[in-house]
């Protein structure tokens, strides 16, 4: 496959992030490893609360302090260990090298500044552009996201734009400094089906033009089918299976992956939530030993309750953590 020869942009090894709360340590991300290449989109999929957003925020070192802490692991971006950078160095990485489209679109735009001012801010801060050069960069970012009449639109305030256009502006801000890695956290959840499809197509085009590596966070395997080259399925703070998208649809190994795929009624239809898996994910405080999916798993055996499954390779770039595979 073409992507296999592409350069690795991001490599994460054994990342662990916890929140220290009055009730105890919430192990939100508990030792995950993955990578993303240039021009590749990795889908990060799983039910609510499995650690998708915390993973994204960890990569940017933007966890709510002092409760949230990265305890262990490596985050290598183009070979540079982000966890070894000073706070100041990390600020230079955010927005410029890695940018993130946040899950809540309402928090992404400031109602009191124009679209142009909001895109110009990272352009000025991160790229040091001023005056006409900054204006050109803002217009280029609006064009990249297919915002019509950018010279006019940049004087608009967010409330003057439709939901779909606003989300494009959020995309333009994220892409304004030509990042190496874009983390898109459920960017289409608030959009209706047609606008969502347009937005997804637009992001594919942006990726073709810029070769940006993308982590696409979603709970929707339908979106994965459209957008992602590879997938990492998360359950209760762990990655349980990772594979190229077409492989995982054809042959999911992990019972949780299979259940998620089966819970999508049709790939071209949007699902709000995944209902068909009985039971709840475990509390991330005081996790029991063994496999975390055990209480919900139709294939659970004795060993599943006792020992955590280890990674097994079942195909090219296809890894699964499940005792069924040994
Ligand atoms: N500030 C915080 N303090 C304590 N626990 C937190 C905090 N933020 C997140 N968590 C916990 O970390 C776990 C992972 O949360 P995360 O937001 O990453 O889930 P998610 O997979 O993005 O879910 P969703 O699909 O609902 O967005 C959850 O159990 C959540 O309760
Ligand atoms: S390890 Fe056991 S309990 Fe866990 S998913 Fe596999 S079969 Fe099910
Ligand atoms: Mg989230």
């Amino acid at each position: 496959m073409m992507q296999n020869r592409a350069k690795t942009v991001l490599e994460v090894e054994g990342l662990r992030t916890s929140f220290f709360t009055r009730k105890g340590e919430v192990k939100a991300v508990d030792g995950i490893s993955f990578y993303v290449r240039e021009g590749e989109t990795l889908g990060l999929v799983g039910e609510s609360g499995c650690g998708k957003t915390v993973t994204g925020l960890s990569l940017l070192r933007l966890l709510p302090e002092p409760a949230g802490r990265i305890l262990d692991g490596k985050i290598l971006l183009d070979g540079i260990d982000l966890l070894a950078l000073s706070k100041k160095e990390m600020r230079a990485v955010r927005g410029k090298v890695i940018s993130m489209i946040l899950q809540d679109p309402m928090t992404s735009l400031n109602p009191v500044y124009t679209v142009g001012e909001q895109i110009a801010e990272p352009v000025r801060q991160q790229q040091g552009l001023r005056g006409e050069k900054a204006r050109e960069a803002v217009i280029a970012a609006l064009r990249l996201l297919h915002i019509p009449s950018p010279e006019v639109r940049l004087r608009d305030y967010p409330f003057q734009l439709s939901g779909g256009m606003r989300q494009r502006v959020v995309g333009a801000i994220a892409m304004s400094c030509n990042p190496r890695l874009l983390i898109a956290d459920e960017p289409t959840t608030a959009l209706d089906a047609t606008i969502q499809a347009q937005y997804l197509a637009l992001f594919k085009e942006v990726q073709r033009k810029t070769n940006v590596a993308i982590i696409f966070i979603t709970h929707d395997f339908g979106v994965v089918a459209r957008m992602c080259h590879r997938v990492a399925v998360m359950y209760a703070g762990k990655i349980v299976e990772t594979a190229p998208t077409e492989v995982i649809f054809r042959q999911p190994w992990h019972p949780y992956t299979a259940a998620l795929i089966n819970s999508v009624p049709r790939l071209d239809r949007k699902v709000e939530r995944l209902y068909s898996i009985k039971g709840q994910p475990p509390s991330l405080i005081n996790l029991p030993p063994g496999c975390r999916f055990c209480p919900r798993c139709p294939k659970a055996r004795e060993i599943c309750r006792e020992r955590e499954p280890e990674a097994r390779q079942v195909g090219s770039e296809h890894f699964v953590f499940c005792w069924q595979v040994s």
Side-chain angles (χ1 to χ4, degrees), residues 91-165:
R91 270 199 295 277
V93 167
R94 270 181 230 127
K96 189 173 182 193
V97 189
I98 310 181
S99 59
M100 183 158 173
I101 297 177
L102 296 171
Q103 191 164 3
D104 181 3
M106 298 310 285
T107 59
S108 306
L109 292 176
N110 190 326
V112 302
Y113 292 103
T114 65
V115 162
E117 285 165 335
Q118 295 188 60
I119 304 175
E121 192 186 295
V123 163
R124 266 192 232 113
Q125 278 202 351
Q126 303 287 16
Q127 293 190 299
L129 299 179
R130 297 280 182 276
E132 196 48 36
K133 284 260 181 299
R135 195 182 132 85
E136 277 167 23
V138 170
I139 290 173
L142 289 167
R143 282 227 170 87
L144 183 67
L145 273 290
H146 286 228
I147 293 162
S149 329
E151 294 85 353
V152 182
R153 285 286 87 80
L154 57 81
R155 275 180 256 131
D156 282 353
Y157 288 88
F159 76 87
Q160 292 172 285
L161 303 171
S162 69
M165 275 303 149

Side-chain angles (χ1 to χ4, degrees), residues 40-288:
E40 185 183 45
T41 302
L42 175 75
L44 203 55
V45 200
E47 283 168 297
S48 191
C50 69
K52 305 181 297 293
T53 297
V54 173
T55 301
L57 294 175
S58 300
L59 301 182
L60 284 164
R61 286 177 49 189
L62 270 183
L63 296 161
E65 286 179 349
R69 246 185 286 158
I70 296 174
L71 302 176
D72 200 5
K74 276 205 175 109
I75 302 172
L76 302 174
L77 200 116
D78 286 326
I80 294 167
D81 186 357
L82 298 187
L83 297 182
L85 298 185
S86 69
K87 283 195 172 163
K88 191 171 166 223
E89 288 166 326
M90 198 58 214
R91 270 199 295 277
V93 167
R94 270 181 230 127
K96 189 173 182 193
V97 189
I98 310 181
S99 59
M100 183 158 173
I101 297 177
L102 296 171
Q103 191 164 3
D104 181 3
M106 298 310 285
T107 59
S108 306
L109 292 176
N110 190 326
V112 302
Y113 292 103
T114 65
V115 162
E117 285 165 335
Q118 295 188 60
I119 304 175
E121 192 186 295
V123 163
R124 266 192 232 113
Q125 278 202 351
Q126 303 287 16
Q127 293 190 299
L129 299 179
R130 297 280 182 276
E132 196 48 36
K133 284 260 181 299
R135 195 182 132 85
E136 277 167 23
V138 170
I139 290 173
L142 289 167
R143 282 227 170 87
L144 183 67
L145 273 290
H146 286 228
I147 293 162
S149 329
E151 294 85 353
V152 182
R153 285 286 87 80
L154 57 81
R155 275 180 256 131
D156 282 353
Y157 288 88
F159 76 87
Q160 292 172 285
L161 303 171
S162 69
M165 275 303 149
R166 234 176 286 161
Q167 199 59 336
R168 287 188 192 199
V169 169
V170 173
I173 294 172
M175 291 306 298
S176 61
C177 296
N178 289 313
R180 293 278 291 153
L181 174 70
L182 171 71
I183 305 164
D185 193 353
E186 306 262 15
T188 60
T189 320
L191 307 175
D192 72 44
T194 316
I195 308 287
Q196 179 190 39
Q198 284 171 5
Y199 198 74
L200 296 179
L202 189 57
F203 259 96
K204 280 192 176 171
E205 188 191 314
V206 166
Q207 187 176 53
R208 272 197 303 279
K209 285 184 178 158
T210 61
N211 220 17
V212 64
I214 300 179
I215 297 176
F216 208 95
I217 297 178
T218 179
H219 58 266
D220 183 346
F221 253 105
V223 171
V224 169
R226 283 191 200 165
M227 280 305 286
C228 304
H229 300 100
R230 279 190 305 118
V231 198
V233 180
M234 277 190 89
Y235 187 76
K238 296 245 184 214
I239 289 177
V240 295
E241 183 162 13
T242 169
T245 304
E246 77 272 11
V247 173
I248 219 160
F249 272 100
R250 211 175 341 112
Q251 195 181 26
W253 273 91
H254 199 283
Y256 180 62
T257 312
L260 281 186
I261 291 174
N262 285 336
S263 71
V264 180
R266 270 187 31 202
L267 295 184
D268 54 358
R269 205 176 287 160
K270 192 175 147 187
V271 284
E272 285 304 325
R273 287 185 72 93
L274 301 155
Y275 284 116
S276 73
I277 309 167
K278 288 204 178 66
Q280 293 292 317
S283 153
L284 299 177
I285 305 174
N286 302 323
L287 279 154

